Amino acid sequence: MALVIEIDQHSDVPIYEQLRRRIIAGIAHGELAPGARLPSVRALAVDLGVNLHTVNRAYALLRDDGYITMRRGSGASVAEPTGSGADAGRNVARHGQGTPNGEGEREGDDDGRVMPSEQIVGELHRLILEHKALGGDMASFLDAFRRQCERIYDETPQGDGRRPATADRRPPTGDRRPATADHQSGGTR
């Protein structure tokens, strides 16, 4: 396997998830071609200095999401891409928070907190890599992204029962008072 895998033992991201993300990134970037054989669970665990069950869990997740195939006696290999945008996107966003480099590190401000925009960019990067690794192309990703945005932003009731704000929405005709915290919560002034 030409893919270099480095594990950060001190990361907040579990080792199996670091391994999973690195293999997905390797597939998406062409470092691992369809049909390429992966090291055995035991060999990779020894090479990385991690528990056998950790590698087994990463491989099982990759198999369940369609990135690799596993056969008794032949080991694990990179699955053929699905080629269909709909199929490629079906399992995207199942596991953990994404990062731009796929290694579990995110930039934060001085006190270590992750800034929301950086977190979103990292997660979006991970989703695109996963979509590409499953054989999806940019057009199918953008189409799925657009549909999800429309679904979310066009939903009528939100989880708290409010309607989303839209530019053409007007307050009810009988209530032209400015909203206050007490008014919004149903309390009296």
Side-chain angles (χ1 to χ4, degrees):
M1 176 166 92
L3 180 69
V4 175
I5 298 175
E6 293 179 2
I7 298 298
D8 180 359
Q9 298 281 351
H10 303 291
S11 173
D12 290 338
V13 178
I15 293 172
Y16 73 87
E17 182 62 21
Q18 292 180 49
L19 178 57
R20 177 187 168 277
R21 290 177 187 178
R22 183 61 188 114
I23 291 173
I24 290 170
I27 294 168
H29 291 301
E31 297 170 82
L32 291 172
R37 297 208 34 181
L38 297 174
S40 71
V41 170
R42 186 175 310 279
L44 189 55
V46 168
D47 287 348
L48 295 175
V50 300
N51 189 295
L52 179 82
H53 298 292
T54 301
V55 176
N56 195 42
R57 183 170 183 185
Y59 275 18
L61 290 170
L62 289 162
R63 179 201 60 219
D64 293 348
D65 287 343
Y67 295 108
I68 66 172
T69 58
M70 294 174 69
R71 292 189 178 84
R72 263 193 213 288
S74 352
S77 60
V78 177
E80 293 294 324
T82 62
S84 161
D87 290 341
R90 74 177 182 261
N91 290 322
V92 171
R94 256 195 192 173
H95 306 284
Q97 294 296 319
T99 62
N101 64 10
E103 299 297 326
E105 297 176 19
R106 293 184 292 223
E107 293 181 18
D109 57 12
D110 292 335
D111 65 356
R113 291 180 307 187
V114 175
M115 303 305 294
S117 62
E118 293 169 353
Q119 187 175 2
I120 290 168
V121 169
E123 183 68 7
L124 186 57
H125 185 269
R126 184 183 67 78
L127 293 173
I128 294 167
L129 282 176
E130 290 193 18
H131 183 78
K132 183 178 178 185
L134 286 170
D137 60 10
M138 186 186 327
S140 65
F141 182 86
L142 291 173
D143 183 53
F145 182 80
R146 181 188 48 76
R147 281 184 282 130
Q148 287 301 314
C149 284
E150 288 171 353
R151 190 176 123 225
I152 298 299
Y153 286 105
D154 292 343
E155 282 181 347
T156 320
Q158 292 181 348
D160 59 3
R162 293 180 296 132
R163 292 177 59 95
T166 60
D168 60 349
R169 203 170 134 216
R170 307 268 188 274
T173 55
D175 186 9
R176 299 261 183 214
R177 295 179 295 164
T180 64
D182 288 336
H183 177 73
Q184 288 175 341
S185 65
T188 58
R189 295 211 249 180

